């Protein structure tokens, strides 16, 4: 599958919430093993009740099946997650391009230990603007804040 087969559409809570939660969880287990499954299970509740419903979320679909998403809080990327079996096929790049077209600039926080994500964002032109020693939940997982402007 190439990314031109991907259609991006707005999030529809009644039909997308469970699927996007599943994508978030499976992708998080792969990308963030250092957090641990028990903490990810706890965070999943927040994804379903707080983050997805409150963010501007765009869903990447192939053959009408959701395969990834990007959630925006203004121009801040709250999350971008692609089904593990669809990673490396240009879906994430297409979602970032879609968001950049809408916002003109983007920023995000990324776990430094998630080297694949850091490489991905850097390849798209994001540049590091700051670092911190703890994540949003107060856990000792260093984060970098990255920024991209059109």
């Amino acid at each position: 599958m190439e990314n031109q087969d991907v259609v991006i559409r707005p999030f529809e809570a009644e039909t997308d919430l469970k699927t996007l939660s599943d994508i978030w969880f499976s992708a998080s287990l792969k990308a963030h093993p250092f957090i641990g499954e028990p903490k990810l299970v706890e965070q999943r509740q927040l994804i379903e009740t707080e983050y997805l419903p409150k963010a501007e979320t765009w869903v990447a679909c192939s053959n009408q099946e959701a395969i990834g998403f990007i959630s925006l809080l203004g121009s801040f990327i709250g999350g971008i997650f692609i089904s593990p079996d669809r990673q490396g096929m240009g879906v994430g790049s297409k979602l970032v391009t879609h968001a950049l077209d809408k916002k003109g600039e983007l920023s995000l926080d990324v776990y430094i230990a998630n080297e694949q994500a850091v490489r991905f964002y850097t390849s798209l032109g994001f540049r590091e603007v700051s670092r911190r020693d703890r994540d949003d939940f107060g856990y000792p997982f260093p984060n970098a804040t990255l920024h991209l402007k059109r």
Side-chain angles (χ1 to χ4, degrees), residues 29-104:
L29 285 171
K30 179 182 177 187
H32 308 137
F34 50 89
I35 293 175
E37 188 170 347
K39 284 185 180 78
L40 291 173
V41 168
E42 288 176 24
Q43 291 175 8
R44 188 175 188 169
Q45 281 296 113
L46 288 173
I47 295 299
E48 293 176 359
T49 61
E50 297 289 324
Y51 298 136
L52 282 172
K54 293 182 179 177
E56 174 187 348
T57 298
W58 296 92
V59 182
C61 297
S62 178
N63 296 320
Q64 299 180 5
E65 172 195 357
I67 58 171
F69 67 94
I70 188 168
S71 293
L72 303 170
L73 302 165
S75 63
F76 183 82
I77 299 174
I80 178 170
F81 293 90
I82 312 302
S83 292
D85 64 334
R86 303 297 182 100
Q87 292 178 6
M89 299 179 178
V91 178
S93 297
K94 190 162 185 173
L95 284 165
V96 168
T97 298
H98 179 82
L100 189 59
D101 288 346
K102 294 215 164 285
K103 304 298 180 180

Side-chain angles (χ1 to χ4, degrees), residues 6 12 29 39 48 82-83 86 97-98 104 112-113 119 121-122 137 148-149:
V6 173
E12 299 169 5
L29 285 171
K39 284 185 180 78
E48 293 176 359
I82 312 302
S83 292
R86 303 297 182 100
T97 298
H98 179 82
I112 294 166
R119 283 191 307 273
Y121 295 125
T122 302
F137 299 97
L148 175 65
K149 191 167 188 165

